[in-house]
């Protein structure tokens, strides 16, 4: 007779192994969701990572914005942090991933190289932009060309009466930007734009494939572009220029200047009050003006997707009388804008980083950014949850030399005219005795000294000999800068004899004035061949090289030293940390809020965004993906897509630019 196994025994031998097997399923499989669970997630307020991860190809984020503050040292955010209110700078400091130890890794800290580095994730040896201007005798024998000058194109949107100028393009940029890679990856569906007061600061970070770049006509303040991008301004940009926004900015600038402490250099050179760039550009009114143009661009180019309420975008328009048409569809990919805020640089050169006016500029920008981010939250599909924002700067700044010298720093000013005279004298003594040949161009911009190749050619001197001769002459040429110019000789023989008698070398009873000091100098050929120290400083030099500029010598003066100017002020151009230290902050769904210490570089911005967008890094990128600031993929979520609703004319709302009396100018902290 056959016996049957009891039920409890059957459970033990059959069901328990099955349960154990289920528990042992690999995590990768257990993480898979059923279609039903996916539908449940779609009904939630946000969409966590699904089978297809968020990327540029599915519009995550809807809009990416790189904000560059021209001439903005990181320590400003530490000094004035107690002043910040709302979600301006605090969006990055408190709600974002913030890197306070961000330094450029090259020695030519200028505006054009900095903006190129931000966009390309490369340094000058990769993107080719080593200075704002340089000599290129094949294109112009009268003056240096600018980094974005391109005579093959014409400017568009320039008002009548403005000074004629050649067109502009990213012609000299030798590497792609993150915006270029976004355009390539999406077959041109993504839109990319650049905005700044300066042409180089709008063109270079946006890249060669950008839909357009916009900057201002210096005289009028009207935003202009180049036929490289378009044959005429789009309607929304023309409407913005036709509004009274530039006049309002001028009024705001005047109010700010009136509230400034006596002697503050807001008005610029004589006659600057009629020049928008020189007058408005050095006040907080310029930042507000740029951000208003950014609002107009976002609306005019329909970069916002479907706004949170499904209606047309709220906020300002390019024209006070225009009505925004509702969008019928939402762009399926990510769009990108670079916004370079120039006012801090224009003011900073005049007053330095430690002035009350600079403090006021930082505080005012905090307020303007808060307003802009609030506007984005209300007008972009999904709000700020569907926006990425990066914050950085193109370079830092040195203190005003006279102020640093009071504290004992050897902050000498370099008399560039005298230095060039000394070098030309040495070259003539060596190659053309008794003559007065200009072997160096009279228009120079440190850290580079440009050699006049045709004059060396006429003397039968090749590049290696010419650059070596300048290197040999530099130490004594710099040393002589400390020797006062000789006064006219009116003495008699007796007084000369007395003056020539040796005097005891008595110790000084007061602090001696700063003395110019040359630390290092390298020829273009040395830089091209890699003949520099195998050290971190050598790497900085390597990153500074570019073949642009013809024959040249690169100079490294002592820290806190710079070429002087008649108006005083300060500048940036060196390898020293105060010129290389900038903020780096990120806000957006993939970023884990926190302060992350440790050296990083602006090159890491493009690399990190490219990785998260799912696109190639820019062609010459050397940056690293900042994985320490990224959330786990499973923790990244975006607001769910807003369906498009039909609209009747009665429901369409007109959004107009505020053209009322200008708001009160921010007060300037007193010393």
């Amino acid at each position: 007779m056959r016996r049957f196994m009891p039920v409890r025994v059957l459970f033990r031998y059959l069901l328990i192994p099955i349960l154990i097997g289920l528990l042992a399923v690999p995590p990768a499989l257990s993480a898979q969701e059923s279609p039903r669970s996916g539908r449940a997630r779609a009904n939630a307020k946000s969409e966590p990572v699904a089978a297809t991860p968020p990327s540029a190809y599915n519009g995550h984020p809807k809009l990416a914005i790189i904000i560059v503050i021209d001439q903005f040292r990181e320590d400003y955010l530490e000094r004035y942090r107690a002043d910040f209110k709302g979600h301006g700078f605090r969006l990055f400091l408190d709600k974002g991933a913030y890197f306070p130890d961000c330094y450029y890794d090259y020695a030519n800290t200028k505006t054009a190289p900095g903006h190129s580095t931000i966009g390309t994730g490369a340094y000058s040896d990769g993107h080719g932009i080593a200075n704002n201007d340089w000599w290129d005798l094949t294109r112009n024998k009268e003056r240096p060309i600018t980094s974005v000058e391109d005579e093959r194109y014409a400017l568009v949107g320039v008002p009548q009466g403005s000074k004629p100028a050649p067109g502009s393009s990213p012609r000299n940029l030798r590497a792609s930007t993150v915006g270029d890679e976004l355009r390539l990856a999406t077959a041109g569906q993504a839109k990319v734009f650049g905005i700044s007061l300066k042409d180089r600061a709008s063109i270079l970070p946006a890249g060669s494939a950008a839909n357009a770049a916009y900057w201002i006509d210096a005289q009028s303040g009207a935003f202009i572009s180049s036929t490289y991008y378009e044959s005429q301004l789009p309607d929304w940009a023309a409407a913005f220029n036709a509004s009274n926004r530039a006049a309002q900015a001028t009024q705001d600038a005047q109010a700010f200047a009136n509230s400034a402490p006596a002697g503050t250099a807001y008005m610029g050179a004589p006659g600057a009050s009629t020049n928008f760039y020189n007058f408005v550009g050095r006040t907080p009114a310029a930042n507000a003006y740029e951000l208003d143009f950014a609002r107009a661009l976002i609306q005019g180019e329909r970069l916002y997707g479907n706004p949170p309420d499904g209606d047309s975008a709220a906020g300002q328009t390019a024209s006070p009388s225009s009505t925004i048409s509702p969008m019928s569809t939402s762009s399926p990919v990510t769009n990108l804008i670079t916004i370079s805020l120039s006012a801090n640089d224009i003011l900073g050169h005049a007053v330095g980083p430690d002035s009350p006016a600079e403090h006021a500029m930082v505080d005012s920008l905090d307020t303007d950014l808060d307003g802009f981010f609030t506007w984005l939250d209300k007008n972009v599909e999904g709000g700020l949850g569907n926006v990425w924002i990066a914050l950085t700067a193109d370079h830092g700044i040195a203190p005003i030399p006279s102020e640093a010298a009071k504290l004992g720093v050897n902050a000498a000013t370099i008399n560039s005219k005298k230095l060039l005279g000394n070098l030309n004298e040495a070259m003539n003594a060596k190659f053309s005795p008794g003559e007065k040949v200009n072997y160096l161009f009279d228009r120079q911009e440190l850290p580079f000294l440009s050699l006049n190749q045709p004059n060396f050619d006429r003397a039968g001197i090749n590049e290696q000999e010419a650059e070596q001769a300048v290197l040999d002459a530099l130490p004594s040429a710099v040393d002589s800068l400390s020797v006062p110019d000789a006064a006219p000789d009116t003495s008699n023989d007796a007084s000369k004899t007395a003056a020539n008698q040796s005097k005891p070398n008595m110790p000084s009873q007061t602090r001696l004035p700063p003395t110019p000091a040359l630390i290092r100098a390298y020829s273009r050929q040395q830089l091209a061949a890699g003949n520099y120290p195998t050290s971190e400083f050598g790497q900085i030099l390597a990153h500074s090289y570019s073949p642009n500029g013809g024959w040249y010598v690169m100079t490294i003066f002592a820290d806190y030293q710079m070429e002087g100017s008649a108006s005083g002020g300060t500048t940036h151009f060196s390898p020293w940390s105060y010129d290389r230290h900038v903020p780096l902050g990120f806000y957006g769904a993939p970023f884990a809020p926190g302060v992350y210490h440790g050296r990083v570089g602006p090159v890491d911005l493009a690399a990190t965004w490219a990785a998260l967008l799912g696109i190639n890094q820019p062609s010459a990128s050397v940056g690293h993906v900042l994985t320490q600031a990224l959330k786990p993929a499973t923790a990244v979520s975006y607001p769910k897509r807003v369906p498009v609703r039909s609209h009747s004319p009665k429901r369409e709302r007109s959004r107009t630019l505020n053209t009322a009396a200008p708001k009160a100018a921010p007060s300037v902290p007193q010393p």
Side-chain angles (χ1 to χ4, degrees):
M1 180 176 176
R2 192 171 184 178
R3 300 180 60 184
F4 291 90
M5 186 179 295
V7 172
R8 63 176 179 271
V9 176
L10 181 65
F11 177 87
R12 179 183 304 166
Y13 282 90
L14 295 179
L15 294 184
I16 288 180
I18 293 175
L19 291 174
I20 292 174
L22 289 174
L23 292 174
V25 172
L29 295 177
S30 64
Q32 294 180 355
E33 291 186 84
S34 69
R36 182 171 182 176
S37 67
R39 285 195 297 271
R41 270 151 104 61
N43 293 326
K45 283 191 173 182
S46 61
E47 299 174 336
V49 173
T52 300
S55 69
Y57 309 102
N58 50 39
H60 292 97
K62 176 57 58 183
L63 182 62
I65 302 175
I66 298 174
I67 295 178
V68 184
I69 309 176
D70 201 324
Q71 192 193 121
F72 196 86
R73 262 191 356 220
E74 192 282 331
D75 62 303
Y76 293 167
L77 297 184
E78 313 297 342
R79 289 191 197 188
Y80 308 129
R81 186 164 184 163
D83 297 353
F84 302 152
K85 306 294 190 296
H87 295 298
F89 290 122
R90 286 193 176 275
L91 188 72
F92 308 97
L93 296 172
D94 298 341
K95 305 291 184 181
Y98 185 65
F99 295 83
D101 307 309
C102 181
Y103 289 81
Y104 281 92
D105 200 26
Y106 62 0
N108 46 310
T109 43
K110 293 295 193 80
T111 296
H115 282 84
S116 301
T117 292
I118 291 165
T120 65
Y123 290 111
S124 294
D125 59 333
H127 56 60
I129 307 296
N131 212 340
N132 295 336
D133 311 91
W134 57 81
W135 285 91
D136 184 343
L137 299 179
T138 65
R139 294 176 58 189
N140 196 309
K141 292 180 171 58
E142 304 299 322
R143 58 167 177 81
I145 62 167
T146 76
S147 55
V148 293
E149 178 181 329
D150 195 340
E151 61 280 0
R152 301 173 303 171
Y153 299 98
L155 299 179
V156 297
V158 180
Q160 288 186 350
S162 291
K163 184 179 179 180
S168 299
S169 81
R171 170 181 185 172
N172 295 308
L173 192 66
R174 300 190 313 178
S176 67
T177 64
V178 66
D180 291 337
E181 296 299 335
L182 178 61
R183 294 268 291 158
L184 289 168
T186 61
Q189 290 187 74
K191 292 184 177 182
V192 175
F193 296 93
I195 299 172
S196 180
L197 297 188
K198 303 178 181 181
D199 52 2
R200 56 185 178 267
S202 64
I203 292 171
L204 296 173
S208 300
N211 296 77
Y214 299 101
W215 59 96
I216 67 164
D217 168 61
Q219 185 66 32
S220 66
F223 276 93
I224 63 176
S225 190
S226 168
T227 53
Y228 174 83
Y229 303 103
E230 52 201 7
S231 60
Q232 62 183 22
L233 292 180
D235 290 345
W236 62 264
F240 183 92
N241 286 340
S243 73
N244 75 334
R245 187 62 187 87
Q248 178 183 323
T250 302
Q251 294 177 35
D252 291 346
Q254 186 63 62
F256 184 81
N258 292 342
S259 72
T264 303
Y266 287 110
M267 301 304 291
S273 60
T274 63
N275 183 289
F276 188 96
Y277 180 90
N278 290 334
F279 178 53
V280 178
R282 64 179 60 206
T283 71
N287 289 328
Y289 183 67
E290 280 196 60
L291 292 172
D292 276 352
F293 186 80
R295 291 178 174 95
L297 185 151
I298 291 169
Q299 290 179 281
E301 296 293 339
R302 302 180 181 275
L303 304 184
Y304 44 71
N306 298 318
D309 61 359
D311 203 347
S312 58
Q316 298 173 344
T317 67
S319 169
S321 59
S322 63
T323 301
I324 301 176
S325 301
M327 289 186 63
S328 58
T329 60
S330 177
S331 174
V333 298
T334 296
N335 300 310
L336 185 147
I337 307 176
T338 66
I339 305 172
S340 175
L341 300 167
S342 308
N344 208 77
D345 181 74
I346 303 170
L347 174 68
H349 278 289
V351 303
D354 307 309
S355 68
E358 181 61 42
H359 185 176
M361 178 71 82
V362 175
D363 285 354
S364 180
L365 180 54
D366 177 59
T367 300
D368 289 334
L369 289 177
D370 180 37
F372 182 58
F373 298 156
T374 299
W375 184 90
L376 290 171
D377 193 38
K378 292 179 180 178
N379 291 282
V380 175
E381 177 186 350
L384 275 185
N386 209 1
V387 178
W388 293 357
I389 308 173
L391 176 77
T392 191
D394 58 340
H395 52 73
I397 190 68
I400 291 179
S402 59
E403 297 299 318
K406 291 177 184 177
L407 300 177
V409 177
N410 188 31
T413 55
I414 310 300
N415 186 330
S416 297
K417 183 177 180 180
K418 186 175 180 180
L419 176 62
L420 291 175
N422 293 341
L423 290 172
N424 274 319
E425 184 178 337
M427 296 303 101
N428 277 287
K430 185 175 181 66
F431 300 123
S432 51
E435 298 185 33
K436 293 185 178 181
V437 178
N438 287 328
Y439 286 100
L440 285 88
F441 290 113
D442 57 354
R443 296 176 62 175
Q444 302 280 356
E445 191 173 346
L446 292 179
F448 301 103
L449 294 174
S450 297
L451 279 58
N452 191 331
Q453 180 181 344
N455 286 347
F456 279 106
D457 287 340
R458 278 189 284 272
I461 307 303
N462 62 31
E463 180 181 2
Q464 191 277 330
E465 293 173 312
E467 291 175 352
Q468 187 59 52
V470 173
L471 288 175
D472 293 341
L474 262 172
S476 60
V478 171
D479 289 344
S480 67
L481 298 178
S482 304
V483 180
D485 293 330
D489 188 0
T490 59
S491 59
N492 54 35
D493 292 340
S495 61
K496 287 181 181 179
T497 301
N500 290 331
Q501 291 178 351
S502 61
K503 297 179 180 179
N505 188 14
M506 301 295 292
S508 175
Q509 301 303 304
T510 60
R511 182 175 287 162
L512 297 172
T515 303
L518 181 70
I519 303 300
R520 293 179 178 88
Y522 297 89
S523 70
R524 188 203 68 81
Q525 287 196 336
Q526 285 176 320
L527 294 173
N531 294 334
Y532 29 74
T534 54
S535 63
E536 290 188 10
F537 191 83
Q539 184 177 24
I540 288 175
L541 291 172
H543 289 160
S544 307
Y545 169 73
S546 170
N548 291 327
W551 298 2
Y552 63 79
V553 167
M554 184 177 188
T555 60
I556 308 294
F557 285 89
D559 52 340
Y560 299 100
Q561 299 191 358
M562 66 191 69
E563 52 195 323
S565 66
S567 59
T570 184
T571 192
H572 48 85
F573 70 95
S574 79
W576 308 117
S577 62
Y578 51 78
D579 278 344
R580 297 190 294 121
H581 191 196
V582 296
L584 182 62
F586 299 92
Y587 177 84
F591 299 100
V595 175
Y596 299 87
H597 284 286
R599 280 290 182 104
V600 297
V603 291
D604 299 329
L605 191 162
T608 300
W609 273 25
L612 293 172
L613 290 170
I615 62 177
N616 290 326
Q617 290 191 19
S619 57
S621 174
V622 295
H624 296 89
V625 179
L626 299 173
T627 55
Q628 64 269 44
L630 302 183
K631 296 177 182 176
T634 54
V636 177
S637 64
Y638 287 89
K640 71 175 181 178
R641 194 181 158 115
V642 178
V644 180
R645 300 204 303 254
S646 61
H647 296 77
S648 66
K650 291 182 180 180
R651 292 194 59 198
E652 291 185 7
R653 291 173 290 176
S654 175
R655 320 294 191 183
T656 59
L657 193 104
N658 180 12
T659 57
K663 61 186 179 182
S667 60
V668 180
Q670 301 300 312

